[in-house]
Amino acid sequence: MTENDGYRIGKQRPFEDLKTIHIGDNAHILRPVAQQSIANRLGIPIQYLRRCPEDIQALNMNHWIRHERNEELFFRFDGNDVRAVFTPRYIPTDNFEVLQKLDSLGYAPETRVQCSLDDEFMSLSIPDANQTFQVNGEKMTPGISVSNSEVGLASLSIAAFVLRLVCTNGMINKTEVSASYRHVSAKILTELPQVLSNISYELGKQKDQFRLSLESRVENPESTINSFNGQFQLNKIEKEAVEWALPLEYGHTMFHVVNVYTKAAHFEELPAESNFRLQKVGGMILGMVK
């Protein structure tokens, strides 16, 4: 059994419960993302399933799997566990493939990167020291950010990245040439060199936004940040990270507000996806400054 394959679910009642599926003659544990994936495929609200007793979970899932229009489903494994479930149209983009492609672009072996990685998400940022600039006496190093989810939480995405050297806060900022590709296409890997080149060309535009943010006065940082938390729909742990970062980056300009979110990405308990998200929120807020 390979990690990425299409399988027929052959048994009449393949599900023992929400956590266990039989594929062929073998039983496999469904990890939380896989549980969410299969519940979505079957059209059953995941919160409802989790509240049901195991026999009712099995009853619902075994009924609706018979109505699945795909004869085969695509499973991603880690050992014997199922990481995620997709349709056969899904074309996997593995983290290792992305790293191999980046390595082929000629980055020096000593290149320093920022990376956040767990079972569900990868965020990798590569600063370009040759483009370092200063804002208000602080050194900023732009670069590119690459993110990917092997279990379908997000598309393979490439965007601009700025590293604030004084505290190693990173910020991901969508530019006109940012790219994002669903995992139904292998296009991103073939176009990666050109996309990276285009993003590098756009990075200079970030300098003016930083200077504008220093000139934008914020009378009540706490209220402004609470408003952004709601606007960007931060979850509980992301809000906790922002609350932790606020006194560390406190100030009365939009520059300080942006840095609260980029600092929050350093919060130790964050999953990799939330780390990426907070850096991206910082970039989106910077882009709003007029």
Side-chain angles (χ1 to χ4, degrees):
M1 181 179 296
T2 59
E3 182 183 357
N4 306 304
D5 252 324
Y7 287 97
R8 294 179 183 273
I9 302 177
K11 297 186 65 171
Q12 184 67 21
R13 292 175 55 82
F15 294 101
E16 290 184 14
D17 50 45
L18 179 58
K19 296 181 180 179
T20 310
I21 184 173
H22 289 268
I23 303 174
D25 296 326
N26 301 308
H28 300 272
I29 298 299
L30 291 166
R31 291 188 179 176
V33 172
Q35 295 172 23
Q36 181 72 64
S37 300
I38 197 66
N40 290 343
R41 292 297 315 158
L42 301 181
I44 310 172
I46 188 67
Q47 295 303 328
Y48 161 75
L49 277 177
R50 286 173 176 159
R51 291 197 302 268
C52 289
E54 291 182 356
D55 59 333
I56 302 300
Q57 291 175 353
L59 182 66
N60 275 278
M61 297 176 76
N62 288 320
H63 170 77
W64 289 109
I65 193 64
R66 291 195 291 272
H67 296 269
E68 168 59 41
R69 62 180 179 271
N70 292 290
E71 291 187 3
E72 293 185 338
L73 292 174
F74 179 89
F75 292 82
R76 299 211 73 158
F77 293 92
D78 182 6
N80 201 46
D81 292 357
V82 177
R83 300 174 66 197
V85 183
F86 304 98
T87 70
R89 291 182 64 239
Y90 178 86
I91 298 174
T93 304
D94 296 341
N95 292 335
F96 191 69
E97 287 182 84
V98 177
L99 295 175
Q100 282 184 313
K101 191 66 176 182
L102 288 170
D103 187 57
S104 72
L105 299 180
Y107 287 105
E110 65 273 14
T111 301
R112 297 177 67 87
V113 303
Q114 286 191 342
C115 183
S116 182
L117 174 68
D118 58 27
D119 288 343
E120 299 174 356
F121 196 86
M122 178 186 74
S123 175
L124 176 69
S125 298
I126 309 174
D128 182 355
N130 293 326
Q131 298 194 55
T132 297
F133 60 92
Q134 289 197 10
V135 175
N136 198 34
E138 293 191 24
K139 289 185 177 180
M140 304 281 187
T141 298
I144 58 102
S145 171
V146 180
S147 61
N148 186 49
S149 174
E150 294 183 330
V151 295
L153 293 181
S155 304
L156 173 57
S157 178
I158 305 171
F161 169 80
V162 179
L163 178 66
R164 184 178 170 217
L165 293 179
V166 70
C167 56
T168 66
N169 287 8
M171 184 197 70
I172 295 162
N173 197 340
K174 185 175 182 180
T175 69
E176 294 177 3
V177 292
S178 294
S180 182
Y181 293 80
R182 295 178 59 205
H183 288 191
V184 295
S185 169
K187 184 178 180 181
I188 183 65
L189 290 180
T190 59
E191 294 190 356
L192 188 57
Q194 185 60 46
V195 171
L196 294 181
S197 176
N198 291 343
I199 287 178
S200 295
Y201 178 77
E202 292 283 330
L203 286 170
K205 296 181 179 180
Q206 307 305 316
K207 300 178 186 180
D208 291 339
Q209 286 299 111
F210 275 112
R211 294 188 178 102
L212 284 172
S213 72
L214 280 164
E215 298 168 1
S216 300
R217 178 79 179 172
V218 176
E219 296 301 330
N220 191 327
E222 293 88 350
S223 177
T224 300
I225 285 170
N226 284 334
S227 177
F228 281 135
N229 287 350
Q231 179 177 342
F232 293 104
Q233 299 180 335
L234 267 59
N235 61 32
K236 184 175 182 292
I237 193 169
E238 291 164 355
K239 290 178 180 177
E240 290 176 2
V242 171
E243 184 178 355
W244 165 80
L246 177 58
L248 302 175
E249 296 287 353
Y250 194 85
H252 290 272
T253 71
M254 287 299 294
F255 181 79
H256 293 94
V257 171
V258 167
N259 285 323
V260 167
Y261 286 92
T262 58
K263 184 67 174 181
H266 289 263
F267 194 58
E268 289 186 358
E269 299 178 18
L270 284 177
E273 184 183 17
S274 290
N275 175 291
F276 173 81
R277 178 170 163 75
L278 287 168
Q279 294 183 69
K280 192 173 181 180
V281 167
M284 287 187 287
I285 293 171
L286 181 67
M288 295 164 62
V289 176
K290 303 296 182 182

